[in-house]
Amino acid sequence: MNVDNSVEGGLDEPAELEPDQGTLDLADPEDRWTVTDWEAAAAAVLRKARRLGEDDSDSLVWERLGRTTLDGIEVSPLGTAEQLAGVRTAGRPARSGPWDIRVQLGAGDARRLNETARADLEGGATSLWLQVGADTDLATLLDGVLLDLAPVVLDAPAAPLAAAEAFLTYAGARELAPGTNLGVPATAAEDDLVAVARLARDRGLLGIVVDATDVHDRGASDVQELARSLALGARVLRVLAEAGVSVADAAALLEFRYAATDEQFATIAKLRAARRLWTRVLELSGADADAAAQRQHVVTSRPMMSRYDPYVNMLRTTVATFAAGVGGADAVTVLPFDSPLGRPEDFGRRIARNTSHLLIAESHVAAVADPAGGAYAVEKLTDDVAHAAWELFGRLEEGEDLDALVAETASRRETEVARRTRPITGLTEFPNLAEELPVREPDGAFDAVRPYGASFEALRDEPAATPVFLATMGSIAAHTARATFATNLFAAGGVAVEVAGPTTGVEDLRAAYAASGRSPVVCLAGPDPAYAEWGEQAAAALREAGASHVILAGRPTDYVDDSCAMGVDALAFLTTTREKLT
């Protein structure tokens, strides 16, 4: 069509066919659904799952399907336009196009690290995150690295000024790629902050990292991680302002580092809230927020990873990377799946790099800026997280102890993991006792990390020497559900089972037990009718045959010593079971 509204070929634009603005309706009557319709459909599913009674109101689905985060934020199961009444969106992600694929290199031999860095860059990485010290051989470490193309981010908490000076000396007059960061931590001494900030400003580089992943690694919630970043960022602005650096110039030197977990919507909301919060800090500081929008480096969460069934970490980091990309991260570091085991090998690093490439080049996640913008549920969660983090930031400014809050949150998460209401696949769910873990060279990278499944990992580290006798009652079809549940539960605590197999009565169980290793712990696993018909007799017979501790897979009853069912404190149950096995 030409600018005069005529169609090429000489025909006029058929203006009379153009509908009035706002009147075009593409939905057929059968495509129209209300919230009430959704309630009815969701309630039908919950009734089938016995999570809702036949006489319960459909409106109870909001309560049954809703959840509360560790920060006490209510998350609705369905986003609606009404939830956004009065919500003001600010600081939305502006990045469109690929994010910076940043790889981390830990401490070690400079020549070996150089080989790894070059392999990463040749394999598609676009920047390097280097752990260095004042005496690191940068000439060897960065040999062959094109500093004008690949940004380098320094990580030298012990000697940030010396490391920055050494890097600039090595770089000399070479042009350095945008995004290069001298990397002084926001927690550094004031003199180091000021000195590195001036070096960075003189060279037109980033100079400071506001790293909130330190509290995340200890178990902090999303709100606590955000509040920590605001407190550190505000500290940097104050220190540099006292040294004569304007707020705008100081803000332009900063890069914020956050963690991304496999809770994708929570991560998306956290990153969107972070930008909004930092925009507000700059507004209150008198700076032009648009001139120094928050730059985010996002790292896939360390504590969400597991040493056991480590290949599942690939799934976790893929979801986390997706969330980071959708949340607008400027740079993303995907930790290799074998990182919790020690120094990652080439295969793990390649998979980690390619996770970003697949999301960018094949899934086109980076093609649109803020793809979650306007989604009712995400916008609502972003708003709630932002308000909670701002309130906590104010309390931190007044002197509240963040470490105590983090410890409390970690304890609550541990309780949820112990009860398996926060499942960890491959560790608390579907564990594989027969797996052979990959062997990796220790590197200490996870020494300060408290994994979410640490207590279960500790049980797996020292598996029980004696198995539990699984007294399966009835046919395979009859006992499979509870036998599978019990087997997985025991395996989560490093306890194997000896299975009786299909049985028809007490004598079959007695014979199977006699043919086994006669474990002091037995677990009855079968359907409710079998329990009612011959469960008590089975328990008594097994006690006579040598069992000293009888467990029932299902609801507790008076003829057994313990029971296991959904919602049980699995950690306490497994600890007790292991004690009875010795």
Side-chain angles (χ1 to χ4, degrees):
M1 192 174 70
N2 298 321
V3 293
D4 60 357
N5 292 328
S6 64
V7 179
E8 292 180 4
L11 298 177
D12 293 332
E13 180 72 17
E16 68 276 6
L17 299 180
E18 181 180 348
D20 294 335
Q21 290 296 318
T23 63
L24 184 62
D25 193 346
L26 300 178
D28 291 331
E30 60 269 22
D31 294 326
R32 300 183 186 282
W33 302 95
T34 66
V35 172
T36 302
D37 294 325
W38 174 82
E39 288 179 353
V45 174
L46 291 184
R47 289 190 180 98
K48 289 182 180 179
R50 298 183 180 180
R51 294 180 59 189
L52 206 63
E54 293 298 329
D55 298 328
D56 289 335
S57 169
D58 289 353
S59 62
L60 284 176
V61 297
W62 297 92
E63 176 186 328
R64 296 289 193 273
L65 295 177
R67 66 181 183 89
T68 303
T69 71
L70 289 169
D71 293 303
I73 296 172
E74 298 290 337
V75 180
S76 171
L78 181 70
T80 62
E82 291 75 17
Q83 294 171 341
L84 301 186
V87 171
R88 171 179 172 269
T89 299
R92 291 177 58 180
R95 191 215 75 241
S96 63
W99 54 79
D100 174 9
I101 302 172
R102 183 171 299 172
V103 293
Q104 182 181 28
L105 293 173
D109 177 70
R111 188 168 301 282
R112 178 179 176 182
L113 291 173
N114 174 257
E115 293 174 357
T116 301
R118 294 175 68 166
D120 283 335
L121 292 170
E122 291 169 1
T126 54
S127 69
L128 301 176
W129 173 16
L130 305 179
Q131 183 177 337
V132 298
D135 57 349
T136 298
D137 183 0
L138 291 175
T140 300
L141 176 58
L142 295 174
D143 180 41
V145 175
L146 303 179
L147 299 181
D148 58 332
L149 298 179
V152 170
V153 178
L154 302 182
D155 187 354
L161 178 56
E165 291 174 336
F167 174 75
L168 291 177
T169 298
Y170 167 75
R174 280 180 284 185
E175 180 181 355
L176 299 176
T180 298
N181 195 333
L182 299 183
V184 61
T187 54
E190 294 184 5
D191 290 345
D192 287 344
L193 272 175
V194 173
V196 175
R198 286 175 174 158
L199 290 173
R201 188 175 56 172
D202 291 344
R203 285 295 301 265
L205 308 174
L206 298 172
I208 301 168
V209 173
V210 178
D211 190 350
T213 65
D214 59 344
V215 293
H216 174 86
D217 288 348
R218 301 201 308 269
S221 66
D222 291 337
V223 165
Q224 290 162 354
E225 185 181 351
L226 288 175
R228 164 74 166 171
S229 73
L230 296 179
L232 290 177
R235 175 187 184 252
V236 172
L237 296 183
R238 292 189 183 107
V239 169
L240 296 186
E242 290 178 1
V245 181
S246 71
V247 172
D249 287 346
L253 298 173
L254 271 60
E255 182 174 64
F256 287 73
R257 185 174 294 149
Y258 296 107
T261 72
D262 52 1
E263 295 184 25
Q264 66 177 22
F265 290 113
T267 295
I268 292 168
K270 176 174 71 175
L271 299 180
R272 298 177 84 250
R275 286 185 169 83
R276 174 175 167 180
L277 291 165
W278 186 242
T279 296
R280 184 58 177 155
V281 169
L282 295 182
E283 286 175 351
L284 294 176
S285 302
D288 182 355
D290 293 332
Q294 187 187 63
R295 179 179 175 85
Q296 292 180 349
H297 170 208
V298 178
V299 185
T300 56
S301 169
R302 293 180 181 87
M304 78 170 178
M305 302 177 84
S306 172
R307 287 188 290 112
Y308 287 92
D309 206 347
Y311 300 99
V312 179
N313 291 331
M314 295 184 197
L315 304 181
R316 299 185 180 103
T317 55
T318 297
V319 175
T321 307
F322 171 85
V326 172
D330 300 287
V332 178
T333 297
V334 182
L335 297 179
F337 76 91
D338 49 351
S339 296
L341 298 169
R343 190 179 302 279
E345 293 190 349
D346 292 343
F347 175 69
R349 299 187 72 89
R350 179 168 65 85
I351 293 295
R353 295 191 307 268
N354 287 348
T355 299
S356 282
H357 282 295
L358 289 169
L359 290 169
I360 291 170
E362 297 193 20
S363 299
H364 305 290
V365 173
V368 178
D370 193 19
Y376 301 139
V378 174
E379 293 284 10
K380 173 61 174 171
L381 185 55
T382 298
D383 189 63
D384 289 343
V385 168
H387 277 92
W390 188 259
E391 187 271 337
L392 178 56
F393 170 49
R395 285 157 46 199
L396 296 182
E397 289 287 281
E398 294 173 358
E400 184 156 354
D401 184 7
L402 179 60
D403 289 340
L405 296 176
V406 170
E408 179 185 351
T409 298
S411 177
R412 281 188 283 121
R413 183 187 286 104
E414 179 115 351
T415 298
E416 293 180 6
V417 172
R419 294 186 176 278
R420 302 205 297 179
T421 56
R422 186 180 288 269
I424 303 175
T425 303
L427 185 63
T428 68
E429 307 291 327
F430 311 110
N432 177 14
L433 284 182
E435 71 175 317
E436 293 186 12
L437 291 178
V439 177
R440 298 292 183 265
E441 175 187 343
D443 63 355
F446 275 60
D447 288 352
V449 176
R450 172 68 178 179
Y452 296 155
S455 296
F456 286 89
E457 288 185 350
L459 294 178
R460 293 286 300 276
D461 287 344
E462 298 181 5
T466 305
V468 166
F469 178 73
L470 193 61
T472 46
M473 302 171 64
S475 65
I476 293 176
H479 69 237
T480 288
R482 279 184 168 143
T484 300
F485 173 84
T487 299
N488 283 333
L489 176 58
F490 288 126
V495 179
V497 297
E498 288 182 308
V499 184
T503 58
T504 58
V506 174
E507 291 307 316
D508 284 350
L509 275 184
R510 194 197 304 269
Y513 183 68
S516 72
R518 292 180 178 270
S519 170
V521 177
V522 300
C523 177
L524 302 178
D528 287 337
Y531 290 163
E533 182 180 350
W534 51 288
E536 186 170 3
Q537 295 91 324
L542 290 170
R543 289 186 195 277
E544 290 176 2
S548 59
H549 188 71
V550 179
I551 300 168
L552 185 77
R555 292 184 294 273
T557 187
D558 56 4
Y559 60 79
V560 296
D561 303 301
D562 204 348
S563 64
C564 57
M566 292 295 295
V568 69
D569 186 332
L571 192 61
F573 169 81
L574 290 167
T575 300
T576 299
T577 300
R578 288 168 61 101
E579 290 172 353
K580 299 297 182 180
L581 284 169
T582 56

